[in-house]
Amino acid sequence: MSAHDRRRSRLLGPAAALAATALLATACGGGDDDARDVAVIIDQERCDTNREAGPITFVTGYHYQASVTQLEVVAAEAMGLFDSLCLDVTIQPGNGDLMGNAQLVSAGTAHFTAMSNEAEVLQADARDHRIVGLATYGHVPIATLLTGTDVKDLTDLEGGTLGHQSLLPAPLEAMLVAADVDLDSIEQVEAGYDPGVLPRGQVQALTGFRSNEPHRLDAMGEEYTQWLPEDFGVVGSFGVMVASPEWTEEHPTATEDFLRAVGRAFDHCSEEAEECVGYAADLDLAGYDTEHNLQVWDTERDLVASSTPEGEPRGFVDLELTEREGETLLDNGELDEIPDPGPLFDTRYLEAVHDGGDPIWPDEG
C-alpha cells in the first residue's frame, strides 16, 4: 500500500462523515485497475462529465501555508471530497511567484491557482495572462503596516526607513497617501522575511500580512502598532481563486464541483482547524510550523467571515470594489489604465453551488 493510500485510508472516516449518506459507493470511472472505491454523491451522468475533464492541477500560492484558498484545497483532497465529486485533482506547491502561477494557468499547464488579491488579476491581464477570477474570499486588504509603539501618527515615519519584501503594497501606499505622509521623505529598503528588523530598530516601519508578521512578533514577545488600510478608507481583497477561462467554459460542472468541494472543506476546517493544518503538514517535506499556520488560518478565516455580507455566498465578487482597488494601482503607476473588470471575473460557477449564502452539498438536498 502506498503512502498516499495509507493516508487515504486514515482519512476515510472524516470524508464519509462529511459526505453523510452516499448515493453511490463505487468509483465513477468504473473498470480502471487503479480506481479507488469512493463515496460518490453525484449522479452517474455528472460523474462521467467530470471525469472527462481529466486531471486537474491546482498550484498553491506559497508552498503549503495554511492560507485561505490553499488550505481548503489541501483539505478537500485529503478528505476525499474531490473524489466524491469525480474530480482528479493534483496539488502542486508554488514558490510565491503568483504571476508565474497565472502564466501556468494561462498556458493550460495548470487549471486553478490562488492570487493574493483582485488587483493581481488586473495586473495579470495587463501582462496578457488569460485567467478569470472565480471567487474572492476576503474583502479587506490583507497587507498591514507595522511600526513601533512610539509612532502615534503615520507622519511620524517621515525621515525614517520603511522595510518591505520586494515593494510597497498598493493598499499600504494608498493608506500612507491618505494619511498625508510625504513618501519621498521615507527611505524604502528590502528587509527580507525576518520581522525582528522592526524591534531591533533597523527599520521604523515594516510591511507584512496581518495573518503572518504580527503573529511572529507576538511569539517574540515584542510590542508594536498595526496600521490597517481600511481604517483610512482604502479598499482591498485577498484569497482570489482563478482559473483558465477556456477550461472553465469547456468544463463547467467540474469547475462548479471544484468550488463546491473547496467550500465544503472551508466549513469543515472552520470547525476542525488542527485537523486541516495537519493535512498541509503531511505534504510539507521541509518542516512545518503547525502552531504558526494555525494562526494564519484562523486569522484569514475570521477576516473572510467578517467581510462577507449576510446573504452573499462566501467568495462573492463586488466589481465596484474591484475597480476601486484597481485605482490604487493606477495611482502608483503599476497600471497605465484600469481594464473593465467584468470580463475578468465570472461568478456563475460559484453561484451555481450556493443557495443564497449557503453552499449546497448534493446529498443534503
Side-chain angles (χ1 to χ4, degrees):
M1 180 183 290
S2 69
H4 179 83
D5 287 337
R6 285 196 298 272
R7 183 161 65 91
R8 178 72 64 191
S9 177
R10 175 170 63 85
L11 299 174
L12 188 57
L18 277 175
T21 305
L23 302 183
L24 300 170
T26 182
C28 22
D32 290 343
D33 291 338
D34 61 351
R36 294 185 300 271
D37 286 347
V38 294
V40 176
I41 59 171
I42 53 178
D43 63 52
Q44 191 67 46
E45 181 180 0
R46 190 177 183 99
C47 179
D48 290 342
T49 300
N50 284 353
R51 288 292 187 204
E52 289 170 4
I56 298 168
T57 299
F58 169 80
V59 183
T60 71
Y62 184 72
H63 300 288
Y64 297 108
Q65 181 170 288
S67 293
V68 165
T69 64
Q70 292 195 173
L71 186 63
E72 311 98 295
V73 180
V74 169
E77 192 281 328
M79 294 161 58
L81 298 182
F82 291 130
D83 286 342
S84 72
L85 298 169
C86 301
L87 299 175
D88 179 12
V89 176
T90 297
I91 299 172
Q92 177 180 319
N95 62 5
D97 181 4
L98 301 185
M99 286 299 158
N101 292 349
Q103 190 172 16
L104 291 176
V105 171
S106 178
T109 306
H111 304 90
F112 296 89
T113 192
M115 304 295 282
S116 291
N117 51 55
E118 292 184 341
E120 290 177 347
V121 177
L122 305 184
Q123 289 174 294
D125 177 71
R127 300 184 187 191
D128 293 325
H129 299 331
R130 285 188 53 77
I131 60 173
V132 62
L134 303 179
T136 299
Y137 293 98
H139 298 275
V140 292
I142 195 69
T144 184
L145 186 69
L146 307 173
T147 70
T149 55
D150 58 320
V151 175
K152 306 301 181 183
D153 189 279
L154 286 175
T155 56
D156 295 342
L157 297 175
E158 295 176 353
T161 301
L162 182 151
H164 54 69
Q165 279 71 49
S166 59
L167 52 82
L168 179 61
L172 299 185
E173 180 172 344
M175 176 181 71
L176 291 168
V177 170
D180 295 323
V181 176
D182 179 5
L183 290 176
D184 292 336
S185 72
I186 298 177
E187 181 184 5
Q188 297 186 33
V189 299
E190 288 198 33
Y193 293 89
D194 174 16
V197 298
L198 181 65
R200 290 196 296 268
Q202 294 170 264
V203 298
Q204 285 67 59
L206 181 68
T207 69
F209 294 94
R210 65 177 77 184
S211 57
N212 188 20
E213 283 79 3
H215 295 307
R216 295 202 179 279
L217 288 174
D218 290 341
M220 297 176 188
E222 301 290 353
E223 295 186 353
Y224 58 91
T225 298
Q226 184 172 193
W227 302 82
L228 303 178
E230 64 265 32
D231 293 338
F232 293 79
V234 178
V235 302
S237 58
F238 71 92
V240 183
M241 185 69 74
V242 303
S244 159
E246 291 83 7
W247 190 89
T248 55
E249 285 285 351
E250 187 177 354
H251 304 290
T253 65
T255 303
E256 291 171 5
D257 287 338
F258 181 90
L259 294 175
R260 190 194 307 275
V262 168
R264 184 69 165 188
F266 186 103
D267 288 339
H268 183 72
C269 295
S270 295
E271 300 295 330
E272 303 293 343
E274 290 188 14
E275 175 190 327
C276 292
V277 171
Y279 299 148
D282 286 346
L283 298 177
D284 195 299
L285 303 179
Y288 199 77
D289 188 338
T290 298
E291 182 177 354
H292 176 69
N293 276 282
L294 276 169
Q295 293 174 321
V296 170
W297 169 253
D298 285 340
T299 299
E300 295 192 9
R301 175 204 65 197
D302 288 346
L303 287 171
V304 169
S306 63
S307 65
T308 301
E310 185 175 354
E312 291 284 0
R314 185 174 53 240
F316 84 103
V317 175
D318 184 331
L319 292 180
E320 181 180 346
L321 292 180
T322 306
E323 190 163 358
R324 288 175 59 191
E325 188 172 344
E327 289 172 0
T328 64
L329 299 178
L330 191 65
D331 292 341
N332 64 19
E334 293 186 43
L335 282 180
D336 294 329
E337 61 179 356
I338 303 174
D340 178 6
L344 302 182
F345 294 86
D346 190 343
T347 59
R348 289 177 298 164
Y349 310 104
L350 181 76
E351 292 163 357
V353 297
H354 282 76
D355 180 9
D358 299 322
I360 300 167
W361 195 242
D363 67 341
E364 293 179 345

